[in-house]
Amino acid sequence: MTPARIVLAEDHGVVRQGLRALLEKEPGFSVVGEAADGLQVADLVERTRPDALVLDLVMPGLGGLDVAREVVRRSPRTRIVILSMHASEAFVVQAFLSGAAAYVLKDSSAADLVRAIHEVLAGRRHLSPPLSDEALEVYLARAKKGEVDVYERLTTRERQVLHLAAEGLSNPAIGTRLGISPRTAQTHRAHVMEKLGLRTRRDLIVYAVNRGLFPEAPGDIDPPRAS
């Protein structure tokens, strides 16, 4: 039997190594790639065509929800397992609306993660306790009746710029990361601010935290990083 091919997307090296060790002990699993930056994940998945992607919700470069959307577009057969510290309704709903097939809390057991991967490979959905399918269906129904989220109107590039700007990168640094000119980065950033109704970098960071791109706001959010 051919092993299920798995890609790991987790920015903490020690955690990623632990996940690899855990999954490679499991009969029928093979880890075929790793990524530590959200901007790298979709390319890696497109190259390796894994059966499953284990994806941290909070990634540098591009958040897990946007990574999931891009992976669904570029490798629709890859099943996505989200790893998250957040158990709130908003994060769970957004994960499944973004294309996830499983949502595993980081304080769950190793066995729960293994179970989640088996479930998604079998074409089923999985949620860590205390989350439940019944509650998720209610949340999804509510979300689909709501107004269109302004965030959904951002282009893929604008979401990338939003994430990097919230990390503190300057326009030249964003341009370097994305392979675009500083002026183009500045234009995308202006469009993001206008579409989201934001005025300051502080507004942008608070918005990014509320979207789940970062676990919490940094202590000093005023000076941008030069790198």
Side-chain angles (χ1 to χ4, degrees):
M1 181 177 176
T2 304
R5 296 162 55 81
I6 300 171
V7 162
L8 303 176
E10 160 65 55
D11 61 318
H12 294 96
V14 172
V15 176
R16 197 170 61 251
Q17 291 168 19
L19 289 172
R20 175 184 276 274
L22 166 69
L23 297 180
E24 290 191 332
K25 288 180 181 177
E26 184 70 15
F29 286 176
S30 175
V31 177
V32 297
E34 300 180 13
D37 188 303
L39 292 172
Q40 303 168 348
V41 180
D43 287 342
L44 176 60
V45 168
E46 193 168 28
R47 289 197 310 272
T48 58
R49 296 293 178 180
D51 300 295
L53 166 67
V54 178
L55 174 64
D56 190 358
L57 186 66
V58 180
M59 295 283 289
L62 190 65
L65 297 179
D66 289 317
V67 171
R69 292 185 184 96
E70 187 68 8
V71 167
V72 168
R73 185 181 72 82
R74 293 167 63 175
S75 183
R77 295 184 62 183
T78 298
R79 304 286 282 173
I80 301 171
V81 176
I82 293 288
L83 281 178
S84 174
M85 67 179 70
H86 300 288
S88 69
E89 166 190 333
F91 288 104
V92 178
V93 168
Q94 286 302 316
F96 281 92
L97 290 177
S98 298
Y103 194 97
V104 178
L105 297 175
K106 285 193 170 182
D107 59 1
S108 300
S109 67
D112 190 50
L113 175 59
V114 170
R115 187 180 309 113
I117 296 173
H118 281 299
E119 288 292 295
V120 301
L121 292 176
R124 295 186 289 268
R125 187 166 66 192
H126 179 86
L127 295 101
S128 289
L131 306 174
S132 70
D133 281 315
E134 292 78 11
L136 178 62
E137 289 298 337
V138 172
Y139 298 153
L140 288 173
R142 289 176 183 168
K144 290 175 181 177
K145 290 179 182 178
E147 297 181 359
V148 176
D149 188 346
V150 178
Y151 184 77
E152 300 300 327
R153 298 173 184 165
L154 299 183
T155 66
T156 298
R157 180 66 84 199
E158 286 170 348
R159 292 175 184 174
Q160 293 171 345
V161 169
L162 163 63
H163 193 112
L164 294 173
E167 286 186 4
L169 273 67
S170 64
N171 291 326
I174 292 172
T176 299
R177 286 289 301 277
L178 299 179
I180 58 179
S181 71
R183 182 175 293 276
T184 300
Q186 181 179 15
T187 298
H188 284 308
R189 187 170 184 159
H191 288 166
V192 167
M193 300 291 281
E194 180 180 0
K195 288 182 180 180
L196 298 179
L198 307 176
R199 299 182 61 188
T200 67
R201 180 169 172 262
R202 181 179 293 273
D203 294 340
L204 187 147
I205 289 178
V206 170
Y207 183 88
V209 170
N210 290 337
R211 290 294 311 190
L213 302 180
F214 304 103
E216 60 184 14
D220 180 1
I221 63 174
D222 290 323
R225 294 203 309 262
S227 60

